[in-house]
Amino acid sequence: AQKITQTQPGMFVQEKEAVTLDCTYDTSDPSYGLFWYKQPSSGEMIFLIYQGSYDQQNATEGRYSLNFQKARKSANLVISASQLGDSAMYFCAMRGGVSGGYNKLIFGAGTRLAVHP
Amino acid sequence: DVKVTQSSRYLVKRTGEKVFLECVQDMDHENMFWYRQDPGLGLRLIYFSYDVKMKEKGDIPEGYSVSREKKERFSLILESASTNQTSMYLCASSFFVPRGGGNTEAFFGQGTRLTVV
């Protein structure tokens, strides 16, 4: 069965520093996709970054990068040069599995990030 | 502008009532999802659908059912509401991607906070 694990319930970082949010996943299917979403206190879900299981390079989107280690089944999010507006809940998600034509999308428990000035 | 719209932001229902949560998307997405979000547990998948009249159980389907009669609309039904179904409910949609496909970010509605008393 598919599973996403985020072991850090809360993290804090100083403004302008980098921070890594951990995510490990479990699946027996070689084809899957990994996502990170941000949920500010307003409640909306904001897509940040995507990594496909067959992608050779780590995904990057502006200050966000995904440290994809396939053998370890980890997909950590790295936020560089943290800003106060980065304070939010962050969710790791995985698409895959035989159900629904490989389109089942599951999420982890999330990590709450606090950026301190 | 892409949109996923949930029929209510806040809902208060009595134990034993039948409750309908409605979700409509205007992006012609094949996939639609229902999650519940609880502190410390993240987003847990209740049901999803990858086509009209198709549905797949998620990780916590007990006490819920769904209906998808039209592509743009996905309804979550609580057959007999109970207090342990008090939660935030999030609907999402995305394009269908075949196995090995690429980024199909999911778009989320604003959420429905359901309280069962």
Side-chain angles (χ1 to χ4, degrees):
Chain A
Q2 295 171 275
K3 190 177 180 182
I4 290 275
T5 302
Q6 295 180 256
T7 57
Q8 305 155 313
M11 291 277 287
F12 69 89
V13 65
Q14 290 295 125
E15 197 178 7
K16 299 180 186 175
E17 291 186 351
V19 63
T20 298
L21 306 184
D22 293 342
C23 173
T24 58
Y25 60 90
D26 191 21
T27 180
S28 56
D29 197 323
S31 177
Y32 50 89
L34 297 158
F35 302 79
W36 277 92
Y37 283 81
K38 173 184 178 181
Q39 187 181 47
S41 56
S42 56
E44 73 221 81
M45 291 287 284
I46 302 167
F47 165 73
L48 296 177
I49 197 166
Y50 166 81
Q51 179 86 42
S53 61
Y54 296 119
D55 294 343
Q56 295 296 311
Q57 293 192 317
N58 286 346
T60 60
E61 289 285 349
R63 294 186 298 111
Y64 304 108
S65 60
L66 201 153
N67 183 1
F68 181 45
Q69 297 188 44
K70 197 168 182 177
R72 296 180 61 185
K73 293 189 175 178
S74 75
N76 298 341
L77 178 70
V78 180
I79 306 174
S80 62
S82 296
Q83 302 172 355
L84 295 178
D86 293 334
S87 294
M89 196 76 173
Y90 288 81
F91 292 102
C92 181
M94 177 170 64
R95 183 199 72 226
V98 177
S99 296
Y102 305 96
N103 278 247
K104 183 178 181 179
L105 181 65
I106 62 167
F107 285 76
T111 295
R112 184 168 296 283
L113 177 67
V115 180
H116 295 171
Chain B
D1 202 17
V2 295
K3 260 202 173 153
V4 179
T5 304
Q6 295 181 228
S7 50
S8 307
R9 284 301 298 268
Y10 300 95
L11 215 50
V12 180
K13 295 292 181 180
R14 295 197 179 276
T15 302
E17 275 192 79
K18 190 167 186 176
V19 181
F20 293 85
L21 302 184
E22 306 286 348
C23 176
V24 177
Q25 51 94 4
D26 65 0
M27 295 164 281
D28 204 32
H29 285 163
E30 294 85 8
N31 296 332
M32 295 190 75
F33 307 85
W34 274 108
Y35 299 90
R36 62 176 284 176
Q37 182 176 5
D38 301 287
L41 297 177
L43 279 71
R44 291 181 292 166
L45 181 63
I46 304 171
Y47 270 97
F48 73 105
S49 168
Y50 56 92
D51 199 355
V52 175
K53 296 190 186 294
M54 302 302 291
K55 61 185 179 184
E56 293 273 347
K57 290 182 180 179
D59 296 325
I60 52 163
E62 297 80 18
Y64 303 94
S65 62
V66 290
S67 171
R68 191 157 182 211
E69 297 295 319
K70 292 185 177 181
K71 190 175 185 179
E72 67 270 19
R73 185 179 297 269
F74 192 36
S75 303
L76 180 69
I77 304 154
L78 287 66
E79 296 289 343
S80 176
S82 64
T83 54
N84 62 14
Q85 293 178 309
T86 291
S87 186
M88 172 67 84
Y89 290 86
L90 291 172
C91 174
S93 70
S94 72
F95 285 115
F96 181 91
V97 172
R99 189 168 184 271
N103 182 9
T104 51
E105 64 176 283
F107 295 86
F108 282 80
Q110 76 277 32
T112 296
R113 184 163 294 282
L114 172 68
T115 302
V116 182
V117 298

